[in-house]
Every structure is written in C-alpha cells, then in structure tokens.
Amino acid sequence: MARVLHMRILGIETSCDETAAAVVEGRCGAFGRVLSNVVSSQVEIHKKYGGVVPEVAAREHVLNILPVVNEALIKAGAMIKKSPNSAACGKQGAKEKDVQIDAIAVTIGPGLVTSLIVGIETAKVLSYAWNIPAVAVNHIEGHIYANYISENSKFQIPNKSKIQNIQFPALILTVSGGHTMLVLMRGHGKYKTIGETRDDAAGEAFDKAAAMMKIGYPGGPVISTYAGKFQIQNSKSISLPRPMINSGDYDFSFSGLKTALLYELKNDKNYKKRIPEYCYEFQQAVIDVLIAKTVKAAKEYKVKTVMLSGGVSANVELRKQMAEAVKSRVPNSKFQIPNLKYTTDNAAMIAAAGYFKAARKKFTPWQKLKVDCDAEL
Ligand code: KG4
Ligand code: ZN
C-alpha cells in the first residue's frame, strides 16, 4: 500500500495557451514536493490578437509539447522504467538512483478541444510506451490542488505540515479566465458546485475591461498594476455596480459590470488620464462581489477551510482582502491560497491532483483517455 502511495507523477497541461509539464512527488497520501515545473507561455503570440486564438494555440502546443515534457523530465532527474513496450528513457544514461515516473496525469477538460488533444495524445503515447498508468484530471480540480503544493523541498509529514490547514469541508473560490465558481469540497474528489457565473468569468471580465481601456493583455495583471497606482485619498469619482451582490444565491455575473465600465469610458473624454482610478474601481467591484459570496457560503456551510484558486487568485488585493474578510467574518475557518506561481495555468497542479487521484486508484487506461471540453467537476 505504502509503495503505491509513494509516487512520482508527470503532469501535462495544454487546456488553453500554456504548454506545461511538471514532475511532483507524493508520499503517504500527502503532497511531497515539486521536482520540476516547466511552463511555455504563448501570451506574447496571442497578445496581438487581444485574446487566445484556438488554432494558433493548438499549433504552438504541437511544437512545444515534447521539448517541454523532456525538459521537465530532465530537471526532475527522471528515469523511466524499461517496459515491454519500449526502452524509452527520460534522461540519457540514467542511473538506478534516478527518479522513476510512476504515472502520468493529464488535463482532459474543460478547455479548448484542439489544445487539450495535444496533451492527451502525448499522455496516451507515453502511458503506452512506458507502460505506466494514466490519470485524467479536470482542469478546475487542478487549480484547486494548487493549494496542496508547498514550496518546501522536504517531504511534508502528514498532519504536521502547513497543508494540515486544508480540512474538510472546504470552500474554494475558483476564479480564472474561463471560470468563476464556488465549490464545496467534502473530501478528496468530492465536489459540489454551489454557484457559478451566469455570463463572463472574472478573469475574462478583467481581460475585456483592459481591452476597452486599451491598456494591454492579459488584463488582470495590468489592471492590478494600475489600480495599485491610484491614491484613494485623492477624491474618487467613478462608481461601478457590484452585480448580484445581494442576489441571495452564490451565482455571479460580470457582463453588466463590463457594460457599465464601457458607458463610463464613453462619457469621459479624458478617461485616458484616469486609468488608475477606473482600474481601481473595476478591480474593487469584482473583489467586493467575490468576497461577499464567499463569506456568505463559508458561513452557511460552516466550512473549516476557505481557499482561492485560478489565475485571478494571483490578484494581490483579492488575496489580501479575502484573507482579512475570512479572519474577521468567518474566524472559525482557515484561509489557504496557492503560491503565486501556481495560480495561473501550470502542470504541477495537474500532477498534484493526479497524485491524490492515483492514491485512490482512480486511473484511466490510455485507450480511454479522451477530451471532455465541458468537463464538470
Ligand atoms: O487560470 P488561468 O491561467 O487560465 C484559465 O484557466 O483561464 O487564468 C488566466 C486569467 C486571465 O483572465 C488573467 O487576466 C487572470 O487570470 N489574471 C489575473 C491576474 N493574473 C492573471 N486577474 C486579476 N489579477 C491578476 N493579478
Ligand atoms: Zn486555468
């Protein structure tokens, strides 16, 4: 049993515009360490179109996937067990003491079909050639498990690690370019979505707002930087709505906020001079709604842990203000956030989720690995 639970997992992520591969290690049902984490971002390529172009993304994944996987294996010092199917090796001249890969975790969805397929076909081929099992991982589940990744290079001792903060039931606010969801997690693999966006995702709203102000792509980091430059003590004159903040449920809507911003900009001939203020107010409107709904759900479900995940959880103000809100308004819940570098798309989070699924023996034969663009948790 212990042997099964001590595993090194190769993670592969290609759901959108990052080609990523990573090797992580888990032990005794707890996350161990990240042995390598390689992300090849296409952001510079998509920038000129103001968003991800699926066909371009897929072509880039095809070009990048093998070099990225190879780099992740080499950085992890990985050796692949010789199998009846092949004599494949992650590293030339690997020695006995080198790390062995025990399973491959791959994102099967949600995401762009032509992008996902590149990662999945690669995982299938490696699973077959190396004769090791595969684990199908939901992209949102991957974002959630970014919370389990510790930067500590030593093994986490179960029950004594920082990760013991993650106690169930847990509530996760997943905010990314494609999703805004409140998920109740009652145990590993036990999820219930209690609310989600009815239109734009939070990250998508940031991206579209930045496009309207013509300040760059992706919008989240740019808006966050401008917002930080606004001095609130200098009179604030712009006021945007907080959509659905008092709707009584856990759903979100950000398209109205985006439209409200558009009208404000149209009516302001000097808007270019007030970009920091627009960014501040837009960011604060999104944060206010996210915090209100998260705190309400944390109270109702009496959760022991509140977590953030997804690209928007890189937002410094969201991290800070949510931490304060949980501490003061839900003092019986612990607050957990992923390390910044695991908030946006990466494969370490996919491998981490894969480890916890592998520990529960949730494998998928390579023949059955397939894209699920609208995969649900
Ligand atoms: O999780 P992710 O890398 O990809 C998806 O699964 O969608 O999230 C990307 C999104 C983008 O919309 C980007 O604007 C947003 O995350 N983002 C941020 C920040 N950094 C990235 N949003 C707000 N503040 C940030 N600092
Ligand atoms: Zn993502």
Side-chain angles (χ1 to χ4, degrees), residues 13 15-18 110 139-140 143 174-179 201-208 217-225 283 309-318 340 342-346 349:
E13 155 63 39
S15 67
C16 191
D17 60 342
E18 327 279 359
H139 183 74
I140 305 294
H143 275 301
T174 296
V175 268
S176 70
H179 294 87
E204 188 181 355
F206 271 101
D207 295 338
K208 288 178 176 170
Y217 171 86
V222 192
I223 288 184
S224 163
T225 305
Q283 174 178 277
S309 73
V312 182
S313 73
N315 188 279
V316 177
E317 275 303 312
L318 175 63
L340 267 184
Y342 301 117
T343 53
T344 47
D345 289 351
N346 66 87
M349 68 185 197

Side-chain angles (χ1 to χ4, degrees), residues 57-373:
R59 288 177 191 208
E60 286 299 311
H61 284 309
V62 171
L63 294 176
N64 294 335
I65 189 72
L66 290 181
V68 165
V69 167
N70 197 41
E71 192 182 334
L73 291 172
I74 289 171
K75 283 191 169 154
M79 183 195 94
I80 310 304
K81 274 184 261 181
K82 292 228 168 96
S83 79
N85 295 333
S86 141
C89 265
K91 184 181 165 193
Q92 296 296 323
K95 299 181 196 75
E96 268 313 299
K97 65 176 171 47
D98 287 343
V99 165
Q100 289 190 347
I101 303 294
D102 301 296
I104 301 170
V106 63
T107 307
I108 53 139
L112 302 169
V113 60
T114 45
S115 288
L116 287 161
I117 224 163
V118 178
I120 292 174
E121 291 305 311
T122 306
K124 276 175 158 172
V125 169
L126 295 179
S127 170
Y128 167 76
W130 295 342
N131 197 25
I132 57 175
V135 187
V137 175
N138 180 299
H139 183 74
I140 305 294
E141 187 172 24
H143 275 301
I144 292 172
Y145 275 86
N147 281 286
Y148 281 84
I149 302 176
S150 156
E151 275 306 286
N152 194 341
S153 64
K154 297 263 184 314
F155 279 109
Q156 296 287 327
I157 301 156
N159 305 326
K160 288 207 171 156
S161 65
K162 181 174 167 280
I163 304 304
Q164 69 183 346
N165 280 345
I166 303 178
Q167 287 174 357
F168 302 120
L171 178 73
I172 305 108
L173 173 69
T174 296
V175 268
S176 70
H179 294 87
T180 300
M181 296 164 82
L182 269 170
V183 176
L184 187 65
M185 186 175 177
R186 296 197 190 275
H188 290 293
K190 293 183 187 150
Y191 312 106
K192 186 181 172 201
T193 303
I194 59 168
E196 57 196 322
T197 183
R198 296 188 182 172
D199 39 58
D200 292 350
E204 188 181 355
F206 271 101
D207 295 338
K208 288 178 176 170
M212 283 177 204
M213 294 184 272
K214 302 185 187 67
I215 53 174
Y217 171 86
V222 192
I223 288 184
S224 163
T225 305
Y226 274 111
K229 291 181 182 159
F230 178 63
Q231 309 287 334
I232 186 114
Q233 58 272 30
N234 303 348
S235 59
K236 188 164 110 27
S237 55
I238 302 157
S239 171
L240 292 171
R242 270 62 177 160
M244 292 184 71
I245 197 159
N246 294 317
S247 63
D249 58 14
Y250 299 117
D251 282 349
F252 303 88
S253 166
F254 294 109
S255 82
L257 173 62
K258 188 187 66 189
T259 312
L261 173 67
L262 182 67
Y263 282 115
E264 288 280 346
L265 296 172
K266 274 191 172 166
N267 291 329
D268 182 355
K269 287 195 185 71
N270 282 324
Y271 87 84
K272 276 278 172 201
K273 291 193 178 134
R274 297 205 292 161
I275 293 292
E277 185 176 356
Y278 279 102
C279 289
Y280 174 90
E281 177 61 6
F282 182 85
Q283 174 178 277
Q284 197 55 50
V286 175
I287 292 176
D288 284 348
V289 179
L290 295 178
I291 290 181
K293 303 259 169 169
T294 306
V295 166
K296 180 175 154 64
K299 283 184 183 165
E300 180 178 334
Y301 291 94
K302 298 187 173 53
V303 297
K304 294 192 174 144
T305 316
V306 175
M307 299 192 256
L308 294 183
S309 73
V312 182
S313 73
N315 188 279
V316 177
E317 275 303 312
L318 175 63
R319 292 163 84 92
K320 203 175 97 193
Q321 294 183 32
M322 186 70 84
E324 284 161 6
V326 171
K327 199 174 166 200
S328 62
R329 293 163 65 190
V330 216
N332 293 331
S333 302
K334 293 248 164 62
F335 183 57
Q336 168 74 37
I337 38 175
N339 183 295
L340 267 184
K341 80 172 181 215
Y342 301 117
T343 53
T344 47
D345 289 351
N346 66 87
M349 68 185 197
I350 302 301
Y355 171 72
F356 284 91
K357 284 187 92 166
R360 302 197 306 281
K361 300 201 167 50
K362 298 269 181 201
F363 297 108
T364 303
W366 65 263
Q367 297 91 333
K368 292 200 171 158
L369 273 181
K370 60 171 194 288
V371 173
D372 186 357
C373 294

